[in-house]
Amino acid sequence: IATTLQVTTAPPVIGNLVLLRRGERCSILLRRETERLLRAQPFLADASVTAYPDGEGAVRVEVVTIDEPSVIGTLGVSSQSPYLRAAKYGSGNVQGRGVSALAGWREGYYYRDTFQARYANYQLFATPVQMHGDAIREAHGYDVSGSVAYPFFSDVQPRAWRVGGGATETLIPFRAPGREPASLGVRRQFLDAGGVVRLGAPGRLAIVGGALSMERATTDQAGVVVTDTGLVSDPGDALTGRYGRRRSARVNLLLGYRQVNFLRVTGFDALAGSQDVRRGVQAGLTLGRSLPV
């Protein structure tokens, strides 16, 4: 089934990740970084980039990639009613376009069913910009988040940035001596945006940037107890009116140093898979200050 539904990654998707360009100088650094960048994609299992002489002063670059199996599917069944307990289906590389999509469901019994949807586009507008979105309706609450980012893929790129946000609602349990834990409903909204620039040469560089983050949280005024047959009111009053609304905004300075190289290995985290092991030193520092807003 997986072989039948598999669609090979489209050549333009691969081409958007190749750092070597027609008419430019072919360097060993760009060739190796292209291989590493391709292998880092979740829909590719392996990649090789080879340069061959092609006339005087020119080379021909051959890029070969091997796809990961793209079909995602799970099924949960039981010998007792309800016989179907959970199902999930999706693709890690929809039609070979570098897009991942997934939908899922799980039986909730005395609570509401859980529904999940996930989407990721690893080449938004035919560029290395990535977009991620997740939405889950849980038995208690929900979790929605999304982001658009140009990650720091390689030492040769000059900048990176990210914008993200989301909202959650969940029950937070509190331990209660001598009885069942009580839970308090919490709703949270958050937003962050930031960017960095590279200073220095590939292999030994510094990263400098900034970010703004905001968060708002609200808690219920009374607790509940989660049981096998539903929610019941908390018989105690320890959580009643204990927490209110919290809001914060923070501006952050981002600093980093990186002196690393990569070694291609086989069979480290997989039986026969190739990966790039990072060697060297890197450090990051975030300095932030709250804002009165």
Side-chain angles (χ1 to χ4, degrees):
I1 295 176
T3 302
T4 303
L5 299 177
Q6 176 73 28
V7 177
T8 304
T9 303
V13 175
I14 303 298
N16 292 334
L17 298 171
V18 176
L19 302 177
L20 297 162
R21 301 299 180 186
R22 184 188 301 272
E24 298 180 359
R25 182 178 180 85
C26 180
S27 69
I28 295 178
L29 174 63
L30 293 180
R31 183 178 63 82
R32 290 177 176 174
E33 285 292 279
T34 297
E35 284 186 342
R36 187 175 64 80
L37 179 57
L38 290 171
R39 283 194 292 267
Q41 303 305 307
F43 50 86
L44 295 178
D46 202 357
S48 64
V49 180
T50 309
Y52 299 96
D54 188 18
E56 185 176 354
V59 296
R60 174 173 57 88
V61 177
E62 182 180 83
V63 181
V64 179
T65 60
I66 300 175
D67 281 22
E68 287 277 10
S70 61
V71 178
I72 304 171
T74 63
L75 196 64
V77 297
S78 173
S79 60
Q80 299 178 350
S81 180
Y83 302 107
L84 183 62
R85 301 292 180 92
K88 185 182 295 184
Y89 179 76
S91 173
N93 192 6
V94 179
Q95 295 299 309
R97 298 296 178 182
V99 173
S100 175
L102 179 145
W105 161 84
R106 185 173 68 248
E107 170 67 36
Y109 301 100
Y110 286 98
Y111 301 101
R112 64 185 186 182
D113 292 357
T114 296
F115 291 96
Q116 175 187 13
R118 180 178 299 169
Y119 174 86
N121 190 332
Y122 296 96
Q123 287 197 12
L124 191 63
F125 307 123
T127 65
V129 175
Q130 298 184 355
M131 180 174 69
H132 295 266
D134 290 274
I136 303 176
R137 192 195 77 164
E138 301 278 7
H140 312 293
Y142 59 86
D143 190 339
V144 179
S145 63
S147 65
V148 178
Y150 179 44
F152 195 75
F153 291 115
S154 167
D155 284 1
V156 300
Q157 74 183 70
R159 67 187 65 88
W161 53 268
R162 180 186 185 277
V163 178
T168 64
E169 180 181 344
T170 187
L171 289 176
I172 304 297
F174 290 78
R175 290 188 297 176
R179 63 183 182 88
E180 292 294 325
S183 299
L184 199 61
V186 178
R187 289 163 298 281
R188 174 175 173 260
Q189 300 87 38
F190 58 93
L191 175 68
D192 63 85
V196 296
V197 296
R198 183 200 76 192
L199 303 176
R204 180 179 296 181
L205 54 85
I207 296 175
V208 180
L212 177 68
S213 58
M214 295 178 286
E215 181 178 352
R216 179 170 57 186
T218 306
T219 60
D220 291 342
Q221 294 301 302
V224 295
V225 177
V226 181
T227 70
D228 293 338
T229 56
L231 297 177
V232 297
S233 298
D234 180 17
D237 59 358
L239 297 179
T240 302
R242 183 168 182 174
Y243 302 102
R245 174 178 295 184
R246 298 288 187 272
R247 293 185 296 177
S248 68
R250 182 177 294 271
V251 61
N252 306 289
L253 173 65
L254 309 177
L255 302 173
Y257 175 78
R258 173 163 157 153
Q259 183 177 345
V260 301
N261 57 66
F262 294 86
L263 176 67
R264 183 178 180 180
V265 297
T266 302
F268 269 41
D269 293 339
L271 293 178
S274 297
Q275 65 185 101
D276 298 283
V277 175
R278 181 169 47 195
R279 303 184 298 178
V281 176
Q282 69 176 25
L285 177 65
T286 300
L287 300 174
R289 180 176 178 81
S290 296
L291 301 176
V293 296

mmCIF file of all heavy atoms in Angstrom, residues 90-114:
data_model
loop_
_atom_site.group_PDB
_atom_site.id
_atom_site.type_symbol
_atom_site.label_atom_id
_atom_site.label_comp_id
_atom_site.label_asym_id
_atom_site.label_seq_id
_atom_site.Cartn_x
_atom_site.Cartn_y
_atom_site.Cartn_z
ATOM 1 N N GLY A 90 -2.609 10.240 6.846
ATOM 2 C CA GLY A 90 -2.025 11.423 6.239
ATOM 3 C C GLY A 90 -0.853 11.059 5.350
ATOM 4 O O GLY A 90 -0.590 9.887 5.066
ATOM 5 N N SER A 91 -0.147 12.088 4.920
ATOM 6 C CA SER A 91 1.015 11.904 4.054
ATOM 7 C C SER A 91 2.098 12.883 4.474
ATOM 8 O O SER A 91 1.815 14.058 4.751
ATOM 9 C CB SER A 91 0.645 12.133 2.581
ATOM 10 O OG SER A 91 1.802 12.114 1.762
ATOM 11 N N GLY A 92 3.316 12.381 4.523
ATOM 12 C CA GLY A 92 4.440 13.243 4.841
ATOM 13 C C GLY A 92 4.993 13.986 3.651
ATOM 14 O O GLY A 92 5.897 14.819 3.804
ATOM 15 N N ASN A 93 4.442 13.723 2.454
ATOM 16 C CA ASN A 93 4.909 14.395 1.239
ATOM 17 C C ASN A 93 3.786 14.321 0.212
ATOM 18 O O ASN A 93 3.810 13.508 -0.718
ATOM 19 C CB ASN A 93 6.183 13.728 0.711
ATOM 20 C CG ASN A 93 6.884 14.530 -0.354
ATOM 21 O OD1 ASN A 93 6.501 15.657 -0.652
ATOM 22 N ND2 ASN A 93 7.928 13.966 -0.937
ATOM 23 N N VAL A 94 2.778 15.172 0.379
ATOM 24 C CA VAL A 94 1.580 15.130 -0.451
ATOM 25 C C VAL A 94 1.940 15.418 -1.906
ATOM 26 O O VAL A 94 2.469 16.487 -2.226
ATOM 27 C CB VAL A 94 0.530 16.137 0.059
ATOM 28 C CG1 VAL A 94 -0.711 16.109 -0.838
ATOM 29 C CG2 VAL A 94 0.153 15.824 1.500
ATOM 30 N N GLN A 95 1.666 14.423 -2.780
ATOM 31 C CA GLN A 95 1.922 14.551 -4.211
ATOM 32 C C GLN A 95 3.357 14.987 -4.525
ATOM 33 O O GLN A 95 3.611 15.633 -5.541
ATOM 34 C CB GLN A 95 0.929 15.537 -4.848
ATOM 35 C CG GLN A 95 -0.506 15.075 -4.797
ATOM 36 C CD GLN A 95 -0.704 13.756 -5.563
ATOM 37 O OE1 GLN A 95 -0.303 13.625 -6.717
ATOM 38 N NE2 GLN A 95 -1.340 12.793 -4.902
ATOM 39 N N GLY A 96 4.300 14.664 -3.626
ATOM 40 C CA GLY A 96 5.701 14.992 -3.857
ATOM 41 C C GLY A 96 6.010 16.471 -3.822
ATOM 42 O O GLY A 96 7.017 16.910 -4.392
ATOM 43 N N ARG A 97 5.173 17.271 -3.112
ATOM 44 C CA ARG A 97 5.326 18.726 -3.115
ATOM 45 C C ARG A 97 5.978 19.274 -1.862
ATOM 46 O O ARG A 97 5.989 20.489 -1.651
ATOM 47 C CB ARG A 97 3.955 19.394 -3.303
ATOM 48 C CG ARG A 97 3.284 19.043 -4.628
ATOM 49 C CD ARG A 97 4.085 19.567 -5.789
ATOM 50 N NE ARG A 97 3.517 19.213 -7.088
ATOM 51 C CZ ARG A 97 4.062 19.525 -8.264
ATOM 52 N NH1 ARG A 97 5.202 20.209 -8.272
ATOM 53 N NH2 ARG A 97 3.505 19.159 -9.381
ATOM 54 N N GLY A 98 6.509 18.419 -1.010
ATOM 55 C CA GLY A 98 7.117 18.902 0.224
ATOM 56 C C GLY A 98 6.111 19.416 1.219
ATOM 57 O O GLY A 98 6.421 20.310 2.015
ATOM 58 N N VAL A 99 4.908 18.848 1.196
ATOM 59 C CA VAL A 99 3.827 19.248 2.087
ATOM 60 C C VAL A 99 3.405 18.037 2.899
ATOM 61 O O VAL A 99 3.228 16.942 2.358
ATOM 62 C CB VAL A 99 2.625 19.804 1.309
ATOM 63 C CG1 VAL A 99 1.446 20.046 2.239
ATOM 64 C CG2 VAL A 99 3.008 21.083 0.581
ATOM 65 N N SER A 100 3.248 18.222 4.210
ATOM 66 C CA SER A 100 2.786 17.164 5.099
ATOM 67 C C SER A 100 1.400 17.514 5.608
ATOM 68 O O SER A 100 1.156 18.650 6.027
ATOM 69 C CB SER A 100 3.756 16.985 6.278
ATOM 70 O OG SER A 100 3.259 16.037 7.195
ATOM 71 N N ALA A 101 0.488 16.547 5.583
ATOM 72 C CA ALA A 101 -0.880 16.760 6.063
ATOM 73 C C ALA A 101 -1.356 15.501 6.772
ATOM 74 O O ALA A 101 -1.062 14.385 6.333
ATOM 75 C CB ALA A 101 -1.812 17.108 4.907
ATOM 76 N N LEU A 102 -2.090 15.682 7.859
ATOM 77 C CA LEU A 102 -2.531 14.543 8.665
ATOM 78 C C LEU A 102 -3.837 14.898 9.362
ATOM 79 O O LEU A 102 -4.054 16.041 9.777
ATOM 80 C CB LEU A 102 -1.454 14.192 9.691
ATOM 81 C CG LEU A 102 -1.706 13.043 10.655
ATOM 82 C CD1 LEU A 102 -0.406 12.310 10.950
ATOM 83 C CD2 LEU A 102 -2.300 13.575 11.961
ATOM 84 N N ALA A 103 -4.723 13.896 9.496
ATOM 85 C CA ALA A 103 -5.970 14.050 10.232
ATOM 86 C C ALA A 103 -6.161 12.824 11.110
ATOM 87 O O ALA A 103 -5.814 11.700 10.711
ATOM 88 C CB ALA A 103 -7.156 14.218 9.289
ATOM 89 N N GLY A 104 -6.706 13.014 12.314
ATOM 90 C CA GLY A 104 -6.870 11.899 13.221
ATOM 91 C C GLY A 104 -8.088 12.050 14.109
ATOM 92 O O GLY A 104 -8.619 13.153 14.293
ATOM 93 N N TRP A 105 -8.524 10.914 14.666
ATOM 94 C CA TRP A 105 -9.675 10.876 15.575
ATOM 95 C C TRP A 105 -9.425 9.830 16.650
ATOM 96 O O TRP A 105 -8.781 8.803 16.395
ATOM 97 C CB TRP A 105 -10.937 10.526 14.797
ATOM 98 C CG TRP A 105 -12.060 10.024 15.671
ATOM 99 C CD1 TRP A 105 -12.957 10.762 16.358
ATOM 100 C CD2 TRP A 105 -12.376 8.651 15.944
ATOM 101 N NE1 TRP A 105 -13.828 9.947 17.056
ATOM 102 C CE2 TRP A 105 -13.490 8.643 16.804
ATOM 103 C CE3 TRP A 105 -11.819 7.436 15.538
ATOM 104 C CZ2 TRP A 105 -14.045 7.458 17.281
ATOM 105 C CZ3 TRP A 105 -12.377 6.261 16.008
ATOM 106 C CH2 TRP A 105 -13.477 6.278 16.862
ATOM 107 N N ARG A 106 -9.918 10.069 17.870
ATOM 108 C CA ARG A 106 -9.814 9.107 18.959
ATOM 109 C C ARG A 106 -11.080 9.137 19.792
ATOM 110 O O ARG A 106 -11.611 10.216 20.095
ATOM 111 C CB ARG A 106 -8.594 9.411 19.838
ATOM 112 C CG ARG A 106 -8.363 8.365 20.926
ATOM 113 C CD ARG A 106 -7.052 8.584 21.669
ATOM 114 N NE ARG A 106 -7.063 9.791 22.467
ATOM 115 C CZ ARG A 106 -6.333 10.861 22.216
ATOM 116 N NH1 ARG A 106 -5.523 10.873 21.163
ATOM 117 N NH2 ARG A 106 -6.383 11.931 22.992
ATOM 118 N N GLU A 107 -11.592 7.953 20.140
ATOM 119 C CA GLU A 107 -12.804 7.819 20.935
ATOM 120 C C GLU A 107 -12.630 8.473 22.300
ATOM 121 O O GLU A 107 -11.610 8.301 22.966
ATOM 122 C CB GLU A 107 -13.145 6.335 21.100
ATOM 123 C CG GLU A 107 -14.243 6.044 22.089
ATOM 124 C CD GLU A 107 -15.597 6.566 21.641
ATOM 125 O OE1 GLU A 107 -15.876 6.526 20.417
ATOM 126 O OE2 GLU A 107 -16.372 7.013 22.504
ATOM 127 N N GLY A 108 -13.671 9.238 22.728
ATOM 128 C CA GLY A 108 -13.583 9.958 23.999
ATOM 129 C C GLY A 108 -14.311 9.310 25.149
ATOM 130 O O GLY A 108 -14.201 9.773 26.282
ATOM 131 N N TYR A 109 -15.126 8.268 24.898
ATOM 132 C CA TYR A 109 -15.892 7.578 25.937
ATOM 133 C C TYR A 109 -16.813 8.567 26.642
ATOM 134 O O TYR A 109 -17.666 9.173 26.026
ATOM 135 C CB TYR A 109 -14.965 6.842 26.903
ATOM 136 C CG TYR A 109 -14.096 5.829 26.197
ATOM 137 C CD1 TYR A 109 -12.767 6.117 25.870
ATOM 138 C CD2 TYR A 109 -14.617 4.591 25.814
ATOM 139 C CE1 TYR A 109 -11.982 5.190 25.199
ATOM 140 C CE2 TYR A 109 -13.840 3.664 25.141
ATOM 141 C CZ TYR A 109 -12.528 3.961 24.843
ATOM 142 O OH TYR A 109 -11.759 3.064 24.169
ATOM 143 N N TYR A 110 -16.645 8.760 27.950
ATOM 144 C CA TYR A 110 -17.554 9.649 28.679
ATOM 145 C C TYR A 110 -17.293 11.125 28.366
ATOM 146 O O TYR A 110 -18.092 11.985 28.745
ATOM 147 C CB TYR A 110 -17.439 9.407 30.187
ATOM 148 C CG TYR A 110 -18.078 8.121 30.634
ATOM 149 C CD1 TYR A 110 -17.307 6.984 30.835
ATOM 150 C CD2 TYR A 110 -19.458 8.029 30.830
ATOM 151 C CE1 TYR A 110 -17.888 5.796 31.254
ATOM 152 C CE2 TYR A 110 -20.044 6.852 31.232
ATOM 153 C CZ TYR A 110 -19.256 5.736 31.439
ATOM 154 O OH TYR A 110 -19.828 4.555 31.841
ATOM 155 N N TYR A 111 -16.187 11.405 27.706
ATOM 156 C CA TYR A 111 -15.871 12.770 27.312
ATOM 157 C C TYR A 111 -15.989 12.887 25.796
ATOM 158 O O TYR A 111 -16.230 11.900 25.095
ATOM 159 C CB TYR A 111 -14.468 13.152 27.792
ATOM 160 C CG TYR A 111 -14.319 13.051 29.291
ATOM 161 C CD1 TYR A 111 -13.700 11.959 29.882
ATOM 162 C CD2 TYR A 111 -14.810 14.057 30.112
ATOM 163 C CE1 TYR A 111 -13.571 11.870 31.266
ATOM 164 C CE2 TYR A 111 -14.685 13.979 31.497
ATOM 165 C CZ TYR A 111 -14.061 12.877 32.062
ATOM 166 O OH TYR A 111 -13.947 12.795 33.420
ATOM 167 N N ARG A 112 -15.799 14.066 25.294
ATOM 168 C CA ARG A 112 -15.944 14.256 23.856
ATOM 169 C C ARG A 112 -14.764 13.641 23.116
ATOM 170 O O ARG A 112 -13.662 13.514 23.654
ATOM 171 C CB ARG A 112 -16.063 15.737 23.522
ATOM 172 C CG ARG A 112 -14.832 16.563 23.869
ATOM 173 C CD ARG A 112 -15.097 18.037 23.624
ATOM 174 N NE ARG A 112 -13.895 18.835 23.820
ATOM 175 C CZ ARG A 112 -13.871 20.167 23.713
ATOM 176 N NH1 ARG A 112 -14.986 20.829 23.441
ATOM 177 N NH2 ARG A 112 -12.738 20.832 23.884
ATOM 178 N N ASP A 113 -14.990 13.269 21.851
ATOM 179 C CA ASP A 113 -13.941 12.663 21.030
ATOM 180 C C ASP A 113 -12.842 13.683 20.745
ATOM 181 O O ASP A 113 -13.063 14.898 20.737
ATOM 182 C CB ASP A 113 -14.516 12.159 19.707
ATOM 183 C CG ASP A 113 -15.443 10.971 19.912
ATOM 184 O OD1 ASP A 113 -15.581 10.523 21.059
ATOM 185 O OD2 ASP A 113 -16.029 10.511 18.914
ATOM 186 N N THR A 114 -11.649 13.140 20.483
ATOM 187 C CA THR A 114 -10.507 13.969 20.131
ATOM 188 C C THR A 114 -10.347 13.996 18.614
ATOM 189 O O THR A 114 -10.348 12.947 17.969
ATOM 190 C CB THR A 114 -9.220 13.437 20.779
ATOM 191 O OG1 THR A 114 -9.343 13.523 22.192
ATOM 192 C CG2 THR A 114 -8.004 14.242 20.325
#
